[in-house]
Amino acid sequence: MKHQPKTPSRNPAWTRDELILALNLYLECNGAFPAKGDARVQELSDLLNKFWRLQGYSGATLRNTNGVAMKLMNFRVHDPKYAELKGLKAGNKLEKEVWEEFANQPDDLKKTAQAICDIIQNPQEAEEALAPEQEIEAEAVEGQLLTHLHVRRERSKKLIAQKKKAVLENLGQLVCEACGFDFQKRYGERGAGFIECHHTKPLSDLPEERTTRLSDLALLCANCHRMIHAKRPWLSIPDLRDMIKKASQPH
Ligand SMILES: [Zn+2]
Ligand SMILES: [Zn+2]
């Protein structure tokens, strides 16, 4: 399914997925401006062009090497090595978020960047990730590729069945781990056995050879699951529990 370009005359804003790739290269370059003709910049430019062409964008300046190199330099505003730039430039909110999430975790960043790269290189999976029905609110602009990988991990029918079975054997009921909602109690027979699974581990914690463990999955009601993914950064289950508790206290 192809997206229609929304503003074909302008290049699209950088998504979170793209900024993760850019930050990875920035750290590889140690914050230096890449030399003209740097193969890594060319490679990233080619990859991002592939990503946007899948969505119907094109154009000579679309993520060209110059644009990619300039984008890397945006991270200097957040880099303590370039503290003199602080305050001079406001910087972009999404860039700041990506910097804060990954700048001190170069290994996690590398793995996450590799996962994004792999999905773009696989046209079938990329199309699936970019299909509108895959969107979680607010993810369209921020980066659907990583979200797609997350959702795919928590929608494995086999794993979900195993997780529910294990919890039922242990606790005798399926309730939301954040708010305690019980679908069967609320909806009767129709709600029996109904609950969603959320994957609690970031993608970078899962090397290829390690498959999801049942303990990586949490059971959540549909509302709580939505709340976790409604905004970046995604909430942990303890954070969501605290939030619910706080919101229910009298003001
Ligand atoms: Zn809940
Ligand atoms: Zn989830």
Side-chain angles (χ1 to χ4, degrees):
M1 195 166 315
K2 297 263 188 299
H3 286 207
Q4 282 311 308
K6 283 139 201 153
T7 47
S9 55
R10 284 188 58 198
N11 288 333
W14 284 64
T15 67
R16 187 174 182 276
D17 294 321
E18 291 183 284
L19 290 174
I20 288 171
L21 297 172
L23 178 60
N24 188 44
L25 183 50
Y26 175 86
L27 295 185
E28 262 178 41
C29 299
N30 248 316
F33 193 81
K36 210 172 162 55
D38 188 314
R40 295 169 300 181
V41 175
Q42 184 67 56
E43 217 173 281
L44 182 53
S45 166
D46 290 345
L47 185 72
L48 299 182
N49 262 279
K50 195 167 185 180
F51 171 67
W52 284 111
R53 280 199 305 267
L54 278 171
Q55 298 173 81
Y57 284 87
S58 61
T61 61
L62 178 66
R63 303 295 187 261
N64 61 12
T65 51
N66 192 40
V68 168
M70 296 302 287
K71 197 66 183 176
L72 298 192
M73 292 303 102
N74 284 11
F75 285 114
R76 282 187 174 178
V77 184
H78 311 292
D79 191 338
K81 269 201 306 208
Y82 295 91
E84 75 274 9
L85 293 176
K86 237 193 160 90
L88 279 181
K89 286 172 92 182
N92 155 309
K93 187 169 160 265
L94 203 49
E95 286 163 14
K96 183 164 183 268
E97 272 175 33
V98 170
W99 175 273
E100 284 170 355
E101 193 173 341
F102 289 106
N104 294 316
Q105 270 88 31
D107 290 342
D108 285 0
L109 175 63
K110 203 170 267 314
K111 283 185 209 154
T112 308
Q114 189 59 50
I116 295 171
C117 179
D118 290 347
I119 200 171
I120 298 173
Q121 298 291 16
N122 177 341
Q124 208 182 329
E125 203 178 342
E127 288 254 312
E128 210 182 292
L130 294 166
E133 58 269 28
Q134 293 294 326
E135 286 171 17
I136 292 183
E137 271 122 298
E139 287 296 324
V141 277
E142 290 202 3
Q144 288 165 263
L145 299 179
L146 277 184
T147 303
H148 168 76
L149 291 177
H150 172 88
V151 169
R152 196 184 58 185
R153 286 188 307 163
E154 58 191 25
R155 284 202 186 145
S156 150
K157 284 205 174 85
K158 198 172 136 209
L159 270 178
I160 295 173
Q162 284 173 356
K163 174 77 184 177
K164 286 180 184 174
K165 187 166 172 268
V167 172
L168 268 178
E169 278 169 10
N170 248 324
L171 304 174
Q173 56 180 1
L174 297 175
V175 298
C176 174
E177 290 181 30
C179 75
F181 189 89
D182 181 327
F183 282 90
Q184 184 166 17
K185 255 194 200 140
R186 174 64 64 90
Y187 299 106
E189 255 324 287
R190 195 175 178 90
F194 190 90
I195 198 140
E196 295 190 4
C197 270
H198 169 65
H199 206 298
T200 57
K201 290 272 165 11
L203 211 62
S204 52
D205 278 9
L206 292 177
E208 290 302 310
E209 65 277 13
R210 156 116 139 72
T211 45
T212 298
R213 298 197 182 111
L214 289 190
S215 56
D216 298 336
L217 295 172
L219 296 182
L220 290 175
C221 75
N223 281 348
C224 289
H225 199 185
R226 268 294 172 96
M227 277 297 110
I228 281 181
H229 292 299
K231 264 189 205 160
R232 294 270 184 184
W234 291 345
L235 293 171
S236 71
I237 301 209
D239 286 348
L240 181 61
R241 259 188 230 128
D242 285 351
M243 215 170 262
I244 294 171
K245 214 194 221 164
K246 253 194 217 135
S248 68
Q249 275 158 6
H251 297 286

